[in-house]
Amino acid sequence: MDNLLKSETDVFSKLYTNYRLRFIRFAQTYLSDASLAEDIVMESLAYYWEHRKELKSDENIPAYLLTVIKHKCLNYLRQARLHNERDSLLSEVGLWELDFKINTLSACDPYELYSSEVQDIVNRTLKKLPSKTRRIFLMNRYENISYPEIAKRLELNQKTIEYHISKALKELRIALKDYFPSLIFFI
């Protein structure tokens, strides 16, 4: 048993010495990060060591290891892409929403917000909207339901929700052109 372990250890040691740097360069080509590439190679070597007894005796170990490294790199890159897409979308929406909140709050005049005249204009404008547009707008602005949640509840595409809210806002902007521009978002 000791001889078998010594033999396996010798094979692993040779493998490590002869291929580690090549494997790191391979991984770094795709990851562009030397320490990340080295981590993936080390994880792959550890994976090989843990699963070595499951391999066929005639298995091409360097090719097997390169396949493990390839899959770990692919998983990392796919995950990075998902994070980037999510972060980009959140950042874009978040910045727009933040700018919007800053602008509306800066222009906010509480006395005008409670003006009955303005409220009457808003109510009349909302009554003129198509029922689906009015419903979506009210869900978002009065019930504070997010676009994705409205889309889910009404079984519509999120772009459709955005279209209807944009349509309602346009009508309200026109109706309230003589009043505080950001008022419609607080009513």
Side-chain angles (χ1 to χ4, degrees):
M1 190 71 163
D2 286 338
N3 286 341
L4 180 61
L5 185 58
K6 183 174 175 17
S7 171
E8 288 177 338
T9 306
D10 288 343
V11 168
F12 184 82
S13 183
K14 285 181 183 175
L15 190 63
Y16 180 86
T17 304
N18 293 337
Y19 290 96
R20 185 181 70 86
L21 292 177
R22 291 183 211 174
F23 289 155
I24 291 171
R25 280 193 299 272
F26 173 81
Q28 191 175 356
T29 301
Y30 297 98
L31 302 176
S32 301
D33 181 336
S35 61
L36 177 61
E38 189 169 356
D39 288 347
I40 284 182
V41 168
M42 297 311 286
E43 286 175 19
S44 300
L45 286 164
Y47 180 86
Y48 157 72
W49 183 255
E50 292 168 5
H51 295 89
R52 69 189 183 281
K53 294 186 189 235
E54 300 166 16
L55 301 176
K56 299 175 193 166
S57 60
D58 63 342
E59 185 79 44
N60 181 339
I61 305 302
Y64 172 82
L65 268 167
L66 196 56
T67 302
V68 172
I69 293 165
K70 170 190 154 186
H71 287 291
K72 286 186 179 291
C73 288
L74 280 170
N75 289 340
Y76 176 83
L77 291 171
R78 286 180 180 133
Q79 208 168 23
R81 181 178 58 198
L82 286 174
H83 287 296
N84 284 344
E85 287 171 355
R86 183 200 66 217
D87 291 348
S88 176
L89 180 62
L90 289 175
S91 176
E92 194 175 299
V93 170
L95 285 174
W96 179 84
E97 191 173 0
L98 188 58
D99 285 344
F100 176 76
K101 287 177 180 180
I102 290 169
N103 291 334
T104 55
L105 189 56
S106 295
C108 178
D109 181 353
Y111 290 100
E112 287 190 42
L113 288 177
Y114 294 103
S115 165
S116 62
E117 182 180 340
V118 171
Q119 187 63 51
D120 290 342
I121 293 170
V122 169
N123 290 339
R124 281 195 309 270
T125 304
L126 289 177
K127 284 181 185 175
K128 291 179 186 175
L129 294 174
S131 62
K132 184 185 274 186
T133 302
R134 182 176 48 253
R135 181 176 180 205
I136 291 170
F137 181 82
L138 292 174
M139 287 174 80
N140 179 254
R141 298 298 189 215
Y142 285 75
E143 298 175 33
N144 287 328
I145 301 173
S146 68
Y147 288 19
E149 182 61 28
I150 295 170
K152 184 178 175 184
R153 286 186 188 182
L154 300 181
E155 299 179 346
L156 296 171
N157 186 308
Q158 190 170 330
K159 291 289 184 192
T160 303
I161 303 304
E162 293 170 8
Y163 165 78
H164 284 286
I165 290 177
S166 176
K167 183 177 175 180
L169 292 174
K170 181 180 176 188
E171 291 299 319
L172 286 166
R173 269 189 222 106
I174 291 169
L176 295 168
K177 67 183 182 296
D178 297 331
Y179 293 88
F180 178 58
S182 63
L183 175 67
I184 58 176
F185 301 105
F186 293 100
I187 297 174

